[in-house]
Amino acid sequence: MENTKMSEKQFLETYNSDNFERPSVAVDLVFMSVIDGELVALLGQRDAHPSKGDWALPGGFVGIGESLDDAAQRVAKEKACFGGKSRAWLEQLYSFGDVARDPRMRIITVAYFALIPPEQFTENLAQRADLTLATITLKGETITALGADNTALSLAFDHGDILRHAVSRLRGKLDYSPIAFALLPDLFTLRDLQEVHQAIMGKSLNKPAFRRRMLDSRRVHGTGTRESGTSYRPAELYRFKP
Amino acid sequence: MENTKMSEKQFLETYNSDNFERPSVAVDLVFMSVIDGELVALLGQRDAHPSKGDWALPGGFVGIGESLDDAAQRVAKEKACFGGKSRAWLEQLYSFGDVARDPRMRIITVAYFALIPPEQFTENLAQRADLTLATITLKGETITALGADNTALSLAFDHGDILRHAVSRLRGKLDYSPIAFALLPDLFTLRDLQEVHQAIMGKSLNKPAFRRRMLDSRRVHGTGTRESGTSYRPAELYRFKP
DNA sequence: GTAATAGTGTCTTTAAGACACTATGTA
DNA sequence: TACATAGTGTCTTAAAGACACTATTAC
C-alpha cells in the first residue's frame, strides 16, 4: 500500500504552486420573512446571460481575507441594504458545489439565510426596484416562488434547490430554535407568532395547543400592553425572552 | 445609490482575470460508527507542522472538475480505504471558512460525515496503523475525543468544532432520518439499535418505549431468525425497511 | 434447575388536538 | 348593543416513562 501521508504532501506542494486550478467561492443569501401570513424571499431578476430573465438570490464572492460569515454579512449590506441599524438572523445553510451549476465557471456557493422582521423588509425594499418579494411554497419536494402578479417565477441556476433547503431548514428548526422571533418585531401578539409558525410549516395550527406550548416554553412573556388600531378586542403584546 | 448590478459585472471581470486571489477548497470527513455502545470517529495524527502531533480528520482538496459530493466520495476511498464493496452514508455537514483556520493558507473546508457499520470500520482499519478510533463525547458544548489509552486527544485546527457539529447533527436527525441504520449491519437486534441511539444521544433510553417507537415507525421488520453465539436467550434479528 | 437477557402488560404522566365556551375590546 | 377576535376550560387521544412481570435460550 502506498504511503498516503507522503502523497498528501506532494499533493499540497503541487496545489500551492498554482498548477492546480482553484474553484471560486461565493455566498448566496436567502432573505426571508413572513408577510401577511405568507413566507416570502428576496429575488432579483438577472439582466444578463446565463439565466437571463430568471430570478436569482443575491450573492457575491468570498474575499481571500474574509471568513464565510463575514462575506455573508457584507453581501447582506451591499446587495440588499441590510445592515446598520437593521438586524438579521444570519445562518449558514448548505454548500452547493456541482461542477456545472454555473455555466460560466466553477463556482462553489455557500448559502445562508437571513431572517428579517417584516417591517424592516418592506422599509429597505422600498428603495430597490430591482428586487422583488416572492411568495415561497414548499409542498413535498416542490418549491414554488410566486411573483407580485401571482405567477410562478423561473429560478436561476440551482437557486430552487437553495430555496428548498432554506424552507426545510426553517421547518426543522422551528420547534427548538428561536428563528420565529427573528421574523417578528420586538413586540408581537401570540396570533402574529402563530401566523409565522403556520407560514413556515405550511399548515394551520390548533390555537389553544399553540398558546399552551409557547407559554410553557417560557420563551415569551407578556408585557401587559396591548396592540392598537384594531376594530375588535386588541391582543396582548409579548416579547421574546432569550 | 450606486448601480449594484454594474458593480457586480465589474467585480466578476476582475475576479476572472485572476487579479483576485481564490481560497482553496477542501473536504474533511468525519467517519463515525458506534462500537461497543460508544460513538467513535476516525482520526489521524499529524506528522508535520502546523498542529504537529495533534489529531486531525481525514481530508483532501476539491478538484476543479469535481463536485463537493464527488470529492467527499473520493477522499473516503483514498484516505480511509472505504469504497468498493464498503458502504457509507455520506452527508454534507457544514462549511468552515474562518480566515486563519489553517495557518499555511486560506482553506475553506466542507465537512461531511461518513457513517459506517462497525464491522466494516474495524475491517478497513486493521490495515491502517496511522489511523485511530477515538471515542467521542459531547456534553453541553464540550466535545472530547478519547484515544485507545483513554486519554483526551488534542485536536488539530478547528476539527473539534467539526466534530461538535457532527454529533449535534446526528442527535438532531436521529428521530426522523434513517442514520441509525447506517451504523448497523444488515441484520441487527433491537438491543443493537437501542445502543446506537443511546450512544448518539449520550443517555440511556427506556426499553419498552423504545421498542414500541421503533416497531410503530414501521422502519424495521423482524426476520424470524435469531442472533447466535450468546450465552443467554438470543434476540430476534431485524432488518431496516426503507 | 439457574443465569441472563428477550420481550410484554399496564399504569401513570405528558402533551397535543378538538371544540365549545367565556371575556373584552371597538364601533 | 352587536361584532369580531382574544383567550380559556375541559374532554379526548396519542405517546412516552416507569416498572414489574413473563418468556426463552444457553449452560
Side-chain angles (χ1 to χ4, degrees):
Chain A
M1 176 194 283
E2 64 169 12
N3 181 327
T4 49
K5 286 206 171 152
M6 201 53 204
S7 66
E8 180 184 1
K9 273 185 199 162
Q10 287 165 355
F11 184 64
L12 190 59
E13 277 154 21
T14 317
Y15 193 91
N16 275 330
S17 68
D18 285 308
N19 295 338
F20 198 84
E21 208 183 341
R22 302 179 187 180
S24 306
V25 180
V27 290
D28 282 332
L29 265 62
V30 189
F31 289 95
M32 300 194 103
S33 196
V34 172
I35 296 181
D36 296 331
E38 308 238 63
L39 192 62
V40 297
L42 202 59
L43 294 171
Q45 191 166 29
R46 289 187 52 78
D47 59 359
H49 291 289
S51 292
K52 184 171 179 175
D54 288 349
W55 295 82
L57 298 165
F61 290 100
V62 176
I64 193 70
E66 190 182 47
S67 73
L68 294 173
D69 290 355
D70 287 347
Q73 200 94 48
R74 173 178 56 77
V75 171
K77 285 182 196 167
E78 284 178 9
K79 286 295 184 100
C81 311
F82 290 104
K85 57 191 179 309
S86 302
R87 66 185 168 94
W89 173 294
L90 272 182
E91 178 175 323
Q92 190 192 303
L93 204 54
Y94 197 79
S95 296
F96 296 81
D98 279 359
V99 173
R101 55 177 296 282
D102 188 313
R104 290 166 295 183
M105 59 174 170
R106 180 73 199 281
I107 304 181
I108 290 167
T109 196
V110 183
Y112 279 74
F113 58 44
L115 306 181
I116 315 273
E119 80 282 3
Q120 284 180 34
F121 223 144
T122 45
E123 246 173 57
N124 288 301
L125 203 64
Q127 316 164 25
R128 301 290 304 268
D130 56 323
L131 295 177
T132 197
L133 275 182
T135 302
I136 305 299
T137 319
L138 176 62
K139 278 213 172 86
E141 293 288 283
T142 310
I143 192 92
T144 320
L146 295 180
D149 54 355
N150 252 26
T151 58
L153 302 179
S154 168
L155 295 168
F157 309 115
D158 53 2
H159 290 191
D161 289 337
I162 299 180
L163 279 170
R164 199 153 39 74
H165 267 78
V167 180
S168 302
R169 177 73 65 90
L170 285 179
R171 289 186 180 170
K173 296 194 73 167
L174 185 56
D175 284 337
Y176 68 92
S177 135
I179 48 172
F181 305 107
L183 297 170
L184 288 168
D186 279 343
L187 294 171
F188 52 87
T189 66
L190 290 183
R191 169 177 38 80
D192 293 335
L193 183 56
Q194 185 172 350
E195 270 176 10
V196 166
H197 277 246
Q198 290 178 157
I200 289 174
M201 298 311 289
K203 65 177 183 190
S204 64
L205 299 169
N206 182 275
K207 184 166 75 158
F210 180 78
R211 297 174 68 96
R212 267 186 312 229
R213 196 151 55 88
M214 289 303 117
L215 296 172
D216 291 352
S217 79
R218 304 208 160 279
R219 284 206 293 218
V220 296
H221 69 18
T223 61
T225 62
R226 298 181 165 277
E227 63 182 337
S228 59
T230 60
S231 64
Y232 44 82
R233 175 179 177 185
E236 181 167 9
L237 290 168
Y238 285 77
R239 211 187 287 275
F240 171 54
K241 199 195 307 178
Chain B
M1 177 195 282
E2 66 170 10
N3 182 327
T4 49
K5 285 203 173 156
M6 201 53 205
S7 65
E8 179 182 2
K9 273 185 197 161
Q10 287 165 355
F11 184 62
L12 191 58
E13 276 155 22
T14 317
Y15 194 92
N16 275 332
S17 69
D18 285 308
N19 294 338
F20 198 83
E21 208 183 341
R22 301 180 188 181
S24 305
V25 180
V27 290
D28 282 332
L29 265 61
V30 189
F31 290 95
M32 299 193 104
S33 196
V34 173
I35 296 182
D36 296 331
E38 308 238 62
L39 192 61
V40 297
L42 202 58
L43 294 171
Q45 191 166 27
R46 288 189 51 78
D47 59 0
H49 289 290
S51 292
K52 184 171 178 176
D54 287 350
W55 295 82
L57 298 165
F61 289 99
V62 176
I64 193 70
E66 188 182 47
S67 73
L68 294 173
D69 290 355
D70 288 347
Q73 201 96 46
R74 174 178 56 76
V75 171
K77 285 182 198 165
E78 284 178 9
K79 286 295 185 101
C81 312
F82 290 103
K85 57 191 179 309
S86 302
R87 66 186 169 93
W89 173 293
L90 272 181
E91 179 176 323
Q92 190 193 302
L93 204 53
Y94 197 79
S95 297
F96 296 81
D98 279 359
V99 173
R101 53 177 297 281
D102 188 314
R104 290 167 295 184
M105 58 174 171
R106 181 73 199 282
I107 305 181
I108 291 167
T109 197
V110 183
Y112 279 75
F113 58 43
L115 306 181
I116 316 273
E119 79 283 4
Q120 284 179 34
F121 222 143
T122 45
E123 246 173 56
N124 288 302
L125 203 64
Q127 317 164 24
R128 301 291 303 270
D130 55 323
L131 296 176
T132 197
L133 275 182
T135 302
I136 305 299
T137 318
L138 176 62
K139 278 213 173 86
E141 293 288 284
T142 311
I143 191 93
T144 319
L146 294 181
D149 55 356
N150 252 26
T151 58
L153 302 180
S154 169
L155 295 168
F157 309 116
D158 53 0
H159 290 191
D161 289 336
I162 299 179
L163 279 170
R164 198 153 40 73
H165 267 80
V167 180
S168 301
R169 176 73 65 89
L170 285 179
R171 288 187 181 170
K173 296 195 73 168
L174 185 56
D175 283 338
Y176 66 92
S177 136
I179 49 172
F181 305 106
L183 296 170
L184 288 168
D186 279 344
L187 293 172
F188 53 86
T189 66
L190 291 183
R191 169 177 37 80
D192 293 334
L193 183 57
Q194 186 171 349
E195 271 176 9
V196 167
H197 278 245
Q198 291 178 157
I200 289 174
M201 298 311 288
K203 66 177 182 189
S204 64
L205 299 169
N206 181 276
K207 184 166 76 161
F210 181 78
R211 298 174 68 95
R212 269 186 312 229
R213 196 152 55 88
M214 290 303 117
L215 296 172
D216 291 353
S217 78
R218 304 210 160 278
R219 284 205 292 218
V220 295
H221 69 22
T223 60
T225 61
R226 298 181 165 277
E227 64 181 336
S228 59
T230 60
S231 65
Y232 45 80
R233 175 180 176 183
E236 180 166 10
L237 290 168
Y238 285 77
R239 212 187 286 276
F240 171 56
K241 199 196 306 176

